[in-house]
Amino acid sequence: MSFNTFGQMFRFTTFGESHGVALGCVVDGCPPGVRFTRDDIQAALDRRRPGQSRFTTQRREPDEVKVLSGVIDHPEGGLVATGTPIALLIENVDQRSKDYAAIAGAYRPGHADFTYDIKYGLRDHRGGGRSSARETAARVAAGAVAAKVLPEATVRGALVQIGDIAVDRARWDWNEVPNNAFFCPDAGTVPLWEAELDRVRKAGSSIGAVVEVVAEGVPAGLGAPVYGKLDADLAGAMMSINAVKGVEIGDGFATARLTGEENADEMRLGNEGRPHFLSNHAGGILGGISTGAPVVVRFAVKPTSSILTPRRTVDRLGQETEIATKGRHDPCVGIRAVPVGEAMMWCVLADHLLRHRGQVGGFVRWPFEV
Amino acid sequence: MSFNTFGQMFRFTTFGESHGVALGCVVDGCPPGVRFTRDDIQAALDRRRPGQSRFTTQRREPDEVKVLSGVIDHPEGGLVATGTPIALLIENVDQRSKDYAAIAGAYRPGHADFTYDIKYGLRDHRGGGRSSARETAARVAAGAVAAKVLPEATVRGALVQIGDIAVDRARWDWNEVPNNAFFCPDAGTVPLWEAELDRVRKAGSSIGAVVEVVAEGVPAGLGAPVYGKLDADLAGAMMSINAVKGVEIGDGFATARLTGEENADEMRLGNEGRPHFLSNHAGGILGGISTGAPVVVRFAVKPTSSILTPRRTVDRLGQETEIATKGRHDPCVGIRAVPVGEAMMWCVLADHLLRHRGQVGGFVRWPFEV
Amino acid sequence: MSFNTFGQMFRFTTFGESHGVALGCVVDGCPPGVRFTRDDIQAALDRRRPGQSRFTTQRREPDEVKVLSGVIDHPEGGLVATGTPIALLIENVDQRSKDYAAIAGAYRPGHADFTYDIKYGLRDHRGGGRSSARETAARVAAGAVAAKVLPEATVRGALVQIGDIAVDRARWDWNEVPNNAFFCPDAGTVPLWEAELDRVRKAGSSIGAVVEVVAEGVPAGLGAPVYGKLDADLAGAMMSINAVKGVEIGDGFATARLTGEENADEMRLGNEGRPHFLSNHAGGILGGISTGAPVVVRFAVKPTSSILTPRRTVDRLGQETEIATKGRHDPCVGIRAVPVGEAMMWCVLADHLLRHRGQVGGFVRWPFEV
Amino acid sequence: MSFNTFGQMFRFTTFGESHGVALGCVVDGCPPGVRFTRDDIQAALDRRRPGQSRFTTQRREPDEVKVLSGVIDHPEGGLVATGTPIALLIENVDQRSKDYAAIAGAYRPGHADFTYDIKYGLRDHRGGGRSSARETAARVAAGAVAAKVLPEATVRGALVQIGDIAVDRARWDWNEVPNNAFFCPDAGTVPLWEAELDRVRKAGSSIGAVVEVVAEGVPAGLGAPVYGKLDADLAGAMMSINAVKGVEIGDGFATARLTGEENADEMRLGNEGRPHFLSNHAGGILGGISTGAPVVVRFAVKPTSSILTPRRTVDRLGQETEIATKGRHDPCVGIRAVPVGEAMMWCVLADHLLRHRGQVGGFVRWPFEV
């Protein structure tokens, strides 16, 4: 059962609400000997942190992470995982715990207010409670640990579409991603998005987006048919991110328009006689198992549901009403979903690596060195 | 770990290869007292069965199911589940176990040949072995049992796109689905698809497709945030079907182009004061929990990888070669994916119903008190 | 995979080492609406807390628990679970993090030093690290929440044997348990144990013990054959407690000496025509399912491995050596295992209650019709 | 959720009732390349098969196993696992499906009749249905596959006690086990047991027993603290066997009487400087992880509940009655529990080996040989 736990061999359990005391996660299954620093995790969190540009929520959260367990100091500096659970804690600071009672009763369209009430009969209504995207900070922290499990791999995410404006793939440059507030890989698209988002933001509206995440250096052989397929797990992972409504692997929905000839990724021998693919329509996965080619995932993020325009709704007393959501919100939640998508990719890959080769990967010989 | 098991509370484990002795599944967690007949399962299998039109593979498999365990005869006829595992067996008949050795060495592009070899070091190469879509017969059998767990719900699937030709949604009629060889809900589209598929088939080629599955009558409250979300589990379920490359919930990728105002599903009170939604962009799921509105899922199916046109590839001896796949194949595997998509929807819903009953103990009524 | 997670529907994940920053747990699956207070959890922790008599370790840990998530304030006081994960944190205070390096290399017989090193290649050697019984504080915290899930049940534990001295069952009085430092249900045995433990303690030695835990008011029907049996899960739960080497249900090993006639628990009708058992050799479980009679579990706890007498061992450099363990240790770890055993009983029962509600949807009444 | 599935990485799911069409299991997670024959499985089943002496049930079941999937023929003979699920089927032959209706209503004391009815509201009453020990045939089949996963290990079981008569450990000889009808390791005890069981059998009574299972050659390092401990999983595994009421690891309950000095397994260096233990009170497990010493488990089996002496009970109509169980029954079910205990030991060890090192254990290089 996976209420709040993700993964099997490399797994994390998250906890915490938007306006509670703290949030965090317990990472279980990290192989012993994996090295990282608190700064590695902090750096990942900083990329997702709110309030870094006018295009994200103005909530100010330092998101400082504490490492509570599962590591010892390495003689050469930093931390080393012992194979026991790694608990990571992030305290909430700027939660503005004013009285949400006034809006507590009306269900905000597009939010989980209605469904949490229907399911649980009660909910933490302060800022979305558990359904808030603040939970994704814990995923990013877990992803920073997962990244250390596959040092040979690279995972990079980018925003590829906002509203009707898609990036020009001919100008794709990963080096541009850190240079703008959108994780945009195309410098030419940035001013277009700035203009669009300023317009949206000033209108009190919001807009959808598409994120792409690419993993390179993934060893072939990861994924366990038929109900532990790598692509199925990636699809579930990305769809579990707040506001995501669609997921594609490789060419995704475009394959519906292709013929078998067009879609076939032909193979040839390359360096040292190793096989490689001449194209990657498959997005690096065949039969649910990684091929060694880049693993390519895209997901659609719906527009932020919190908008200033009043919308018709009902409240928990069974009355019709209207609601407009003030407060600090991302006009395009797709932007901050980029590091979250990267984190989920890392966690899925780490999990499948360990499923394939186990937590420890072999027997330690005795006597041995630290 | 879910190598070959799907689900948590309502779960099934499948086994069997394309050209082995038999395939089947063990359904575990079916509530005691659920009634069904062997014919219910057979009828579901017959919808997926090959060889029913010139647009599907000409392999002739009766796909007769045997119920081995988990039931007793009901005094009024049919079977009743006892709460113990229900084993369902389908023997292979038309497996044509001729020597596949000649093609065993060359990796068919788009197939799982290469990845199974890389992962496992060996594989059952007869007709795709475990990676064959024949495994989906076992899913359909399990889905027929799952359907009996939610008698109040309806699940219907349709093919909505083949290649560039999509159905006209204005003419959508569920009653048309059983009237044609495509599960097409629009009579006007049928001749267009027939012409297209005849062309594809004669060329020895293949083509992709899009399937839509809609569940109505699903109770609100199913789905367990944040790592047991209903939409995430549906995404994983559909992506686990052979050849699927993309999954959408509700408006899916189209939400990337919407504003918050457009995407909001407003609410009003209806019959007996019950809340309802004025639109369903969300596809019946908010925050990972069902809203009571129809659950809408679409998935893209890539073109069949087995084509007559030779493609460049390599073999397991490390040599470059070419391969063309003769034999009996579906020119559009998307067609027979329709009943498989329905089955996976049933299984996910049954699983989440039982999870919900467990954690919450029943359905919360609306309006409700704290 | 259950590296550090216990349970399925009601589940908890623990983290933390003996001498780390903090330890704690995340309780996942607590039904919404369950009410408790922080004091409920603290009271349970206080029963297990070290340093309360001369017969337990002199380490001074306040074991103050913080509730980080998963609850909101109830209007009438206390907390109410929202159905989201409940994170509980206990900071370590008296960890005396002096240099353990001197003894880090030699494997203490009976401890997990050797096996952690062999498995993981490294370990947190400060006070046992993850293998320390301090981890059980997190179980006790989780158990205090689980207890609120079954308000109709009562779980009580007692120490029934220390070394060769067993309690006189004819004098069993649950009311005596809180009156002595041993959780002993027989006032007459207390002075005998005091004398025995003073002797053991002064000799720098240690001694084994047997704990019995009894649950009353458990509804019939809990437990899912054949691999989710209530007795099998209880056996696994108790055996997972540090230093436990044996588990019995009901008459346990004594049944090997019984005939079928002696072992049969006959049935008769009682109040309101309800069936009841005339004896309870079965310990409240038949076929892996609870009968409604008291669930009775006993487990053996080996003597504390930390003793002053030098023992022969080897070190991680591959040299033979001797080791005597100084420091603050329980002369009989069985004593503080009593509240831990109770907590595990609560957690198993809560888990099985939720599993049952899920699969079956409520309790079947008796007598009943097909 | 583990309703009918055992294990995590090496896992099996069983199905089937005592008097149904067939029973069997699906073994999932067997590493690719593991070789075995159908005869290997049959030989294991034959050891457990009923009707082989006058001391076991006279039901005649050939228990012939069919291998339905998951293997291909090995060029050198026998089968080789492909890494996909291995389905094993055993058809019931001698089920004597006469009308059980007469006794269907009365709950046999000690059996699961009452609890299945209470839990599920109905049950398969033919010969115990799912609660019958016939299910253990499927475990034995799975265990025969598991044994091939650890070729370096040896697992042997023996009956060590019937009623009050225990074997003389000074005369223990594993070679005697196959020479008698009891799996008795002491030739001198055999005639005593024969006399005792003849007496019990003629009286229509039954008697309890104790089984011991020892695994040698188990690599150190198996087991994942703190909720995947090897001893906890073994305890759960053995307690899940029909009629088992107690489980011990190593010295078990006897450790309650020991001092720390007595219980300590001291270490010294042996062959090639490898560490070894001078005693094995711990039964080969410390901190939940294997030490490399023999893993020793004992479990108590209660007397068969089916006896000729009438016992008081109630029926499902809510009336008091008496019942005596005629038919073909083992007077001491502990005897045939020996191969079942061995099978569970194999399955737990295989599972933990794969948890430790993964299903595949490393990346297959390309190009590669079969």
Side-chain angles (χ1 to χ4, degrees), chain D residues 187-354:
Chain D
T189 301
V190 171
L192 305 179
W193 285 357
E194 286 178 339
E196 170 75 355
L197 271 194
D198 277 333
R199 189 188 62 74
V200 163
R201 190 167 51 85
K202 285 169 186 164
S205 183
S206 63
I207 190 82
V210 176
V211 174
E212 180 165 322
V213 180
V214 178
E216 293 179 89
V218 176
L222 302 191
V226 292
Y227 298 111
K229 286 182 174 175
L230 183 59
D231 40 4
D233 281 4
L234 283 169
M238 300 309 173
M239 196 68 94
S240 80
I241 300 172
N242 307 49
V244 172
K245 300 302 284 184
V247 183
E248 296 183 315
I249 306 290
D251 282 6
F253 277 87
T255 62
R257 301 175 185 277
L258 299 182
T259 64
E261 288 79 7
E262 293 164 338
N263 188 58
D265 294 319
E266 295 181 295
M267 301 182 78
R268 274 294 170 256
L269 297 177
N271 289 340
E272 302 174 11
R274 292 182 64 84
H276 65 98
F277 294 88
L278 303 179
S279 56
N280 192 19
H281 299 287
I285 303 174
L286 286 173
I289 303 172
S290 62
T291 65
V295 175
V296 181
V297 179
R298 261 183 315 283
F299 56 90
V301 187
K302 71 178 185 184
T304 315
S305 297
S306 299
I307 50 176
L308 283 176
T309 313
R311 297 280 95 184
R312 288 173 289 173
T313 190
V314 300
D315 64 22
R316 69 194 331 262
L317 299 178
Q319 295 173 322
E320 298 188 338
T321 181
E322 289 201 344
I323 191 165
T325 312
K326 290 159 189 147
R328 304 162 295 175
H329 300 288
D330 291 279
C332 175
V333 283
I335 299 172
R336 293 205 291 135
V338 172
V340 182
E342 292 170 346
M344 296 308 287
M345 173 72 90
W346 277 122
C347 290
V348 169
L349 292 176
D351 188 25
H352 277 274
L353 179 72
L354 302 192

Side-chain angles (χ1 to χ4, degrees), chain B residues 19-354:
Chain B
H19 288 61
V21 178
L23 56 90
C25 65
V26 182
V27 177
D28 197 6
C30 181
V34 167
R35 290 183 59 184
F36 60 92
T37 67
R38 202 201 68 91
D39 287 351
D40 290 332
I41 304 172
Q42 192 62 55
L45 284 168
D46 288 347
R47 293 184 71 223
R48 195 213 70 101
R49 193 151 51 85
Q52 302 194 95
S53 81
R54 68 181 185 275
F55 306 115
T56 57
T57 174
Q58 294 307 300
R59 178 169 172 173
R60 299 278 171 184
E61 284 290 353
D63 279 356
E64 286 187 9
V65 67
K66 290 181 187 168
V67 182
L68 299 183
S69 65
V71 295
I72 52 177
D73 291 334
H74 195 278
E76 299 167 13
L79 306 169
V80 58
T82 59
T84 63
I86 301 168
L88 304 172
L89 191 73
I90 301 164
E91 288 173 28
N92 282 326
V93 173
D94 185 21
Q95 65 258 43
R96 291 203 192 167
S97 293
K98 61 179 178 181
D99 188 9
Y100 276 76
I103 66 155
Y107 301 126
R108 295 168 297 168
H111 277 288
D113 301 352
F114 173 69
T115 50
Y116 269 67
D117 255 5
I118 278 283
K119 183 179 186 73
Y120 297 118
L122 80 175
R123 68 191 159 92
D124 183 344
H125 48 69
R126 300 166 300 169
R130 181 70 180 155
S131 71
S132 163
R134 235 186 114 51
E135 184 269 345
T136 60
R139 304 182 188 217
V140 169
V145 177
K148 300 296 180 175
V149 177
L150 289 101
E152 68 277 27
T154 307
V155 169
R156 293 183 293 198
L159 202 66
V160 299
Q161 184 182 327
I162 290 181
D164 288 320
I165 311 169
V167 298
D168 182 345
R169 288 183 172 262
R171 295 185 306 208
W172 189 294
D173 180 0
W174 284 112
N175 295 323
E176 284 297 328
V177 168
N179 294 341
N180 60 76
F182 305 106
F183 302 103
C184 180
D186 165 22
T189 301
V190 171
L192 305 178
W193 285 357
E194 287 179 337
E196 171 74 357
L197 272 194
D198 277 332
R199 189 187 63 73
V200 164
R201 188 167 52 86
K202 284 168 188 164
S205 182
S206 63
I207 191 80
V210 176
V211 174
E212 181 165 322
V213 179
V214 179
E216 293 179 88
V218 176
L222 302 191
V226 294
Y227 299 110
K229 286 182 172 174
L230 183 58
D231 41 3
D233 281 4
L234 283 168
M238 299 309 172
M239 196 68 93
S240 80
I241 300 172
N242 308 49
V244 172
K245 300 301 285 184
V247 183
E248 295 183 316
I249 306 291
D251 282 6
F253 277 88
T255 62
R257 301 176 186 278
L258 299 182
T259 64
E261 289 79 7
E262 292 164 338
N263 188 59
D265 295 319
E266 295 181 296
M267 300 181 79
R268 275 294 171 254
L269 298 177
N271 289 338
E272 302 175 10
R274 290 180 66 86
H276 64 99
F277 293 89
L278 303 179
S279 57
N280 191 19
H281 300 287
I285 303 174
L286 286 173
I289 303 172
S290 62
T291 66
V295 175
V296 181
V297 180
R298 261 183 315 283
F299 56 88
V301 186
K302 73 178 184 183
T304 314
S305 296
S306 298
I307 50 175
L308 283 178
T309 313
R311 298 280 94 184
R312 289 173 288 175
T313 191
V314 300
D315 64 22
R316 69 190 335 258
L317 299 179
Q319 294 173 322
E320 299 188 338
T321 182
E322 289 202 344
I323 191 164
T325 313
K326 288 160 191 146
R328 305 162 296 174
H329 298 289
D330 291 279
C332 175
V333 283
I335 299 172
R336 293 205 293 136
V338 173
V340 182
E342 293 171 346
M344 296 308 287
M345 174 72 90
W346 278 122
C347 289
V348 170
L349 293 177
D351 189 25
H352 276 274
L353 179 72
L354 302 191

Side-chain angles (χ1 to χ4, degrees), chain A residues 1 9 219-220 222 269 273-275 353-363 366, chain D residues 1 9 219-220 222 269 273-275 353-363 366:
Chain A
M1 299 294 294
M9 290 286 286
L222 302 191
L269 298 177
R274 291 181 66 84
L353 179 72
L354 301 192
R355 293 192 202 188
H356 187 85
R357 74 154 171 77
Q359 193 198 4
V360 180
F363 295 108
W366 185 95
Chain D
M1 298 294 293
M9 291 286 286
L222 302 191
L269 297 177
R274 292 182 64 84
L353 179 72
L354 302 192
R355 293 191 201 188
H356 188 85
R357 74 155 171 77
Q359 194 198 4
V360 181
F363 294 109
W366 185 96

Side-chain angles (χ1 to χ4, degrees), chain C residues 1-6 8-9 12 14 107 109-112 114-116 118-120 130 135 139 161-164 204-210 220-229 231-232 235-236 239-242 244-249 252-253 255-261 263-269 275 277-278 281-282 285-287 289-291 298-304 307 309 311-314 318-322 344 355-356 359-360 364 366-370, chain D residues 1-6 8-9 12 14 107 109-112 114-122 130 135 139 161-164 204-210 220-229 231-232 235-236 239-242 244-249 252-253 255-261 263-269 275 277-278 281-283 285-287 289-291 298-304 307 309-322 344 355-356:
Chain C
M1 300 293 295
S2 53
F3 290 140
N4 292 283
T5 298
F6 184 85
Q8 303 283 343
M9 291 286 287
F12 62 88
T14 72
Y107 301 126
H111 277 287
F114 174 69
T115 51
Y116 268 67
I118 277 284
K119 181 177 187 74
Y120 296 119
R130 181 69 180 155
E135 185 269 346
R139 304 182 188 216
Q161 184 182 328
I162 290 182
D164 289 320
S205 183
S206 63
I207 190 81
V210 176
L222 302 192
V226 292
Y227 299 110
K229 287 182 172 174
D231 40 3
M239 197 67 92
S240 79
I241 300 172
N242 308 48
V244 172
K245 300 302 285 185
V247 183
E248 296 183 315
I249 306 291
F253 276 88
T255 63
R257 301 176 186 278
L258 298 182
T259 64
E261 289 79 7
N263 188 58
D265 295 317
E266 295 181 295
M267 300 182 79
R268 275 293 170 256
L269 298 177
F277 293 89
L278 304 179
H281 299 287
I285 303 174
L286 287 173
I289 303 172
S290 62
T291 65
R298 261 183 314 284
F299 55 91
V301 187
K302 72 178 185 184
T304 315
I307 49 175
T309 312
R311 297 280 94 183
R312 288 173 290 174
T313 191
V314 300
Q319 295 174 322
E320 299 188 336
T321 181
E322 290 201 345
M344 296 308 287
R355 293 192 204 186
H356 180 84
Q359 197 198 2
V360 179
V364 177
W366 184 95
F368 39 76
E369 309 300 320
V370 177
Chain D
M1 298 294 293
S2 52
F3 290 142
N4 292 283
T5 297
F6 184 85
Q8 303 284 345
M9 291 286 286
F12 63 87
T14 72
Y107 300 126
H111 276 288
F114 174 69
T115 50
Y116 269 67
D117 255 5
I118 276 284
K119 182 178 187 75
Y120 296 119
L122 81 175
R130 181 69 179 155
E135 186 269 346
R139 305 182 188 216
Q161 184 182 329
I162 290 182
D164 288 320
S205 183
S206 63
I207 190 82
V210 176
L222 302 191
V226 292
Y227 298 111
K229 286 182 174 175
D231 40 4
M239 196 68 94
S240 80
I241 300 172
N242 307 49
V244 172
K245 300 302 284 184
V247 183
E248 296 183 315
I249 306 290
F253 277 87
T255 62
R257 301 175 185 277
L258 299 182
T259 64
E261 288 79 7
N263 188 58
D265 294 319
E266 295 181 295
M267 301 182 78
R268 274 294 170 256
L269 297 177
F277 294 88
L278 303 179
H281 299 287
I285 303 174
L286 286 173
I289 303 172
S290 62
T291 65
R298 261 183 315 283
F299 56 90
V301 187
K302 71 178 185 184
T304 315
I307 50 176
T309 313
R311 297 280 95 184
R312 288 173 289 173
T313 190
V314 300
D315 64 22
R316 69 194 331 262
L317 299 178
Q319 295 173 322
E320 298 188 338
T321 181
E322 289 201 344
M344 296 308 287
R355 293 191 201 188
H356 188 85

Side-chain angles (χ1 to χ4, degrees), chain C residues 37-49 52 63 65 140 144 339:
Chain C
T37 66
R38 201 200 69 90
D39 287 351
D40 291 332
I41 304 171
Q42 192 62 55
L45 285 168
D46 288 347
R47 292 184 72 222
R48 194 213 70 101
R49 193 151 52 85
Q52 303 192 95
D63 279 355
V65 66
V140 169

